Amino acid sequence: MTAPHPLVTRARRLADDLLAPHAEEVDQGEVPVGHLTEIGRSGLLGLNAPREYGGAEAPGAVVRETAEILAGACCSTWFVQTQHHTPVLTLAKSERPVRERLLGRLATGELLSGVAYAHLRAHPRIPVRATRVRGGWRFDGKVPWYTGWGLNDVMLLAGVTDADEALFAFTEARDQPGLRASPPLRLAALTAARTVSLDLDGLWLPDEAVALRTPHKTWSATDRLKTVNANPAVFGITEAALHLSDDGTAAHLRPRLAEVRARAYALIDGARPHEHLEDRLALRAQAYALMQTATTAAVVTGGGRAMLLTNRAQRLAREALFLLVQGQTTESRRSHLDALAC
């Protein structure tokens, strides 16, 4: 048997020793800075970063397995740290000066980054406009969702230009002239991840802060290909729920979980991103269905105790609801609703 990748081993140790034992407490409060510090020390924040910048350049299978482990242990902590990987990947592909300024510090976990770009999926509606001004860009509008406020050091902010481009730039994740955060939103799940909305009223960022500028249709086409695949976090929540379920139910569901996971990951690894889109969406919907079944089984197994906020089963069930809509696009929503109607 092949030994686990060192990052998988570290993720498992973090999950077992730190994240899972405190997950219910975190769920009712907020993600501790210490959790994120330990994830950074473990090297997991540099999973996708180039080695020359201190990252691991880990294989896709390792990235997925660590995501499953962290999400299954404490979904709130996983969700804060998963935001970090998009800025890292964006910088790794960028040829702009901001790459040299930030990539090494993000890859090693010295800095933690969040993202504010999901509103680009609302196009042709433009919640955030980026306007060219002398020496930089002015951002105006509203970011509906930003996760990790008060935990992140920097954020990757996106807006749409007058030329219908998607423009991404870095700024500090704090209140500043032209940027004001709401109080943390109270959510049915993952309130601990400190999600806020951001009001932008003339936030100015210099040209040196820009990491990516590309036609919106180009960005959107790439984004859609990412969101058709099953989310590893879904498999992590499902696995965690099966550990709480009746033995017979768990034994029945585990082979189905293994099959859907294997088929979904085989498409990610073995086919081009634009191939088998309908199959990918179907497997995504099947993964959701398994997650809902597993978390429901965990609640039923727990009985009345599962209604306590200190109970793991109800936390997993609420986290499953969150994952149903996380990263949702028009295509994935339609596919999921069609599957539910069958």
Side-chain angles (χ1 to χ4, degrees):
M1 177 180 288
T2 304
H5 190 283
L7 288 174
V8 172
T9 301
R10 292 174 206 166
R12 181 66 68 189
R13 187 180 301 120
L14 276 171
D16 293 344
D17 297 346
L18 179 64
L19 303 187
H22 298 285
E24 281 67 57
E25 179 184 352
V26 168
D27 176 64
Q28 295 304 305
E30 63 182 49
V31 173
V33 172
H35 281 22
L36 302 168
T37 299
E38 290 304 316
I39 289 173
R41 286 175 179 166
S42 73
L44 290 168
L45 293 179
L47 271 170
N48 298 304
R51 288 191 179 90
E52 61 265 32
Y53 288 86
E57 285 188 68
V62 171
V63 174
R64 294 191 296 265
E65 188 170 1
T66 57
E68 288 188 24
I69 292 168
L70 297 180
C74 178
C75 198
S76 292
T77 301
W78 163 79
F79 192 53
V80 172
Q81 67 83 41
T82 202
Q83 313 294 312
H84 180 87
H85 300 298
T86 295
V88 168
L89 286 170
T90 301
L91 286 174
K93 298 173 183 177
S94 178
E95 297 180 355
R96 293 174 177 268
V98 70
R99 171 186 170 120
E100 298 306 316
R101 181 166 64 88
L102 288 180
L103 182 52
R105 301 177 73 188
L106 293 176
T108 59
E110 178 186 346
L111 295 177
L112 183 70
S113 183
V115 292
Y117 74 88
H119 50 273
L120 292 179
R121 295 174 182 145
H123 195 272
R125 187 167 58 86
I126 301 177
V128 176
R129 172 73 67 180
T131 306
R132 189 77 172 105
V133 294
R134 180 171 298 183
W137 295 86
R138 173 187 171 123
F139 288 79
D140 293 279
K142 190 178 187 70
V143 175
W145 309 97
Y146 177 82
T147 294
W149 188 256
L151 298 169
N152 297 323
D153 301 294
V154 296
M155 73 168 79
L156 182 60
L157 171 65
V160 176
T161 71
D162 291 337
D164 208 34
E165 301 162 308
L167 184 134
F168 291 74
F170 281 92
T171 187
E172 294 183 10
R174 60 174 178 82
D175 282 341
Q176 54 186 291
L179 188 160
R180 186 71 57 185
S182 72
L185 303 175
R186 296 295 299 173
L187 306 174
L190 276 71
T191 291
R194 291 189 62 85
T195 296
V196 299
S197 60
L198 301 175
D199 287 318
L200 304 169
D201 183 14
L203 174 68
W204 180 82
L205 298 180
D207 287 328
E208 293 76 17
V210 174
L212 175 66
R213 183 180 175 187
T214 188
H216 184 277
K217 64 180 181 181
T218 301
W219 174 85
S220 181
T222 302
D223 179 65
R224 284 199 300 271
L225 293 180
K226 296 176 185 175
T227 55
V228 298
N229 291 309
N231 184 347
V234 170
F235 297 126
I237 294 292
T238 304
E239 190 70 59
L242 291 180
H243 283 294
L244 302 178
S245 301
D246 169 80
D247 288 344
T249 304
H252 176 72
L253 293 176
R254 280 203 172 90
R256 291 168 55 188
L257 170 61
E259 178 191 2
V260 173
R261 178 198 275 129
R263 290 172 60 198
Y265 289 171
L267 283 178
I268 294 173
D269 290 333
R272 295 176 181 176
H274 63 277
E275 295 177 336
H276 307 291
L277 297 185
E278 292 302 318
D279 291 338
R280 293 174 194 261
L281 285 167
L283 287 165
R284 177 183 168 111
Q286 289 175 42
Y288 283 145
L290 269 171
M291 176 178 65
Q292 289 180 282
T293 299
T295 54
T296 299
V299 170
V300 172
T301 300
R305 295 186 305 277
M307 293 299 99
L308 295 171
L309 288 176
T310 54
N311 185 274
R312 184 155 297 183
Q314 60 78 30
R315 172 178 61 80
L316 292 171
R318 288 187 290 105
E319 291 171 349
L321 287 175
F322 170 83
L323 291 177
L324 292 180
V325 296
Q326 189 258 327
Q328 188 182 68
T329 63
T330 301
E331 291 88 348
S332 64
R333 180 189 299 112
R334 185 70 267 154
S335 175
H336 194 182
L337 290 173
D338 288 346
L340 291 172
C342 292

